[in-house]
Amino acid sequence: MVGKLRLLPGATGSNVAARDGYDAEANAAMTLAEFERWLLCQIAIYHHAPHSALGGLCPAQMWAREAAKHGPLLPVSVASDALFRQFLPSKSLTVHAKGIQIKYRHYWHPELAVRIGQKIEISWDERTIQHVYADLDGRYVELPVIGDYPDVWEADWEAARAGVRALGRAYQADGGRAATARAVAAANQEIHRARVRTKEARRQAKRREGEGATVADLRRPKTPAAKPVIWKPAAELGEDWDRIG
């Protein structure tokens, strides 16, 4: 199977030397869903091919022969979706006020309201970030994600997030850090000037204690006095006074 994987378009090989200049990223062609279907085909091929360890029989033949010696391998009452969830990766997680947190996402269902602070078993299908499953007293309850998320694979979503982070790093390298440094320097200078002005205001307030002046009064900028309005007598306005711009 490893040998077949190395023949897929975009395979990286076992090491850098084995690639010999092969551009894996440029030659990659399959999505995760397409690879999953390809892998299922390989399992089917193996299942129906003769196997030396089985005396030349195919695994499908051996399975049918041995299964005929027993009763049903699974109880008839087992639902296929419940059986599927038992094969999913799972982890014991604590229920918070926002529900279950996986990485930066939160999942919620009304049945979690009475279980805040408790640990429950959570399983998830890595082919979607839309929901996870909570094992509540032997029942699987689907917990939808809170927020607007696309129905994509976990790996695809993480790859997209990594691309956004790379854009952020590129911006920082292309002038973002310098702009931040200038803003920090300006903020520090503003603090320094404020200290100087406040220190001077305190000196003046101390000298004028008897007048009731405070530091806030002395720090407040003085508003320039408005110019007085000079009104002309009506006789001096003339006939076209209402058209004066």
Side-chain angles (χ1 to χ4, degrees):
M1 182 58 67
V2 172
K4 292 180 180 180
L5 289 172
R6 289 177 179 170
L7 296 176
L8 290 176
T12 58
S14 56
N15 53 61
V16 177
R19 278 192 262 177
D20 192 23
Y22 178 72
D23 191 341
E25 184 176 358
N27 286 277
M30 302 178 74
T31 65
L32 288 173
E34 291 167 343
F35 171 76
E36 185 181 56
R37 292 192 292 270
W38 176 87
L39 181 61
L40 290 174
C41 290
Q42 301 309 308
I43 294 173
I45 293 171
Y46 177 85
H47 199 50
H48 297 285
H51 199 295
S52 59
L54 300 178
L57 292 177
C58 301
Q61 292 175 285
M62 182 61 73
W63 177 273
R65 189 177 76 180
E66 295 301 316
K69 300 177 183 178
H70 305 280
L73 298 178
L74 293 172
V76 179
S77 60
V78 174
S80 59
D81 56 345
L83 179 63
F84 162 73
R85 293 186 187 112
Q86 293 179 18
F87 284 90
L88 295 176
S90 64
K91 188 176 182 179
S92 182
L93 299 174
T94 302
V95 181
H96 300 284
K98 291 184 178 180
I100 293 296
Q101 181 175 353
I102 296 180
K103 294 185 177 178
Y104 48 86
R105 300 185 302 274
H106 291 87
Y107 296 83
W108 175 258
H109 189 280
E111 290 195 35
L112 297 181
V114 296
R115 300 174 183 266
I116 294 177
Q118 300 178 12
K119 278 187 172 292
I120 59 176
E121 196 70 16
I122 299 294
S123 55
W124 60 90
D125 185 349
E126 294 183 347
R127 295 172 297 182
T128 180
I129 60 175
Q130 288 290 306
H131 54 260
V132 296
Y133 303 100
D135 184 357
L136 303 180
D137 303 324
R139 296 182 299 112
Y140 283 105
V141 177
E142 185 177 297
L143 312 180
V145 67
I146 299 175
D148 186 16
Y149 288 90
D151 189 8
V152 296
W153 286 56
E154 176 77 27
D156 289 339
W157 182 248
E158 289 302 319
R161 291 185 67 235
V164 173
R165 290 194 296 269
L167 289 175
R169 289 192 296 269
Y171 174 82
Q172 286 288 302
D174 190 26
R177 289 192 184 94
T180 300
R182 289 193 296 270
V184 170
N188 291 337
Q189 187 66 21
E190 193 64 35
I191 293 173
H192 172 71
R193 291 171 181 168
R195 285 175 173 168
V196 171
R197 288 192 292 266
T198 300
K199 188 175 181 180
E200 179 60 26
R202 283 173 177 162
R203 280 202 204 96
Q204 294 183 31
K206 191 169 183 62
R207 288 197 300 266
R208 298 168 57 182
E209 277 183 12
E211 302 175 12
T214 65
V215 174
D217 295 332
L218 296 172
R219 282 294 312 272
R220 190 179 297 115
K222 295 181 179 180
T223 304
K227 294 182 178 180
V229 178
I230 302 175
W231 298 92
K232 290 185 177 181
E236 297 180 10
L237 294 177
E239 295 180 359
D240 58 348
W241 64 271
D242 57 340
R243 290 194 294 274
I244 296 177

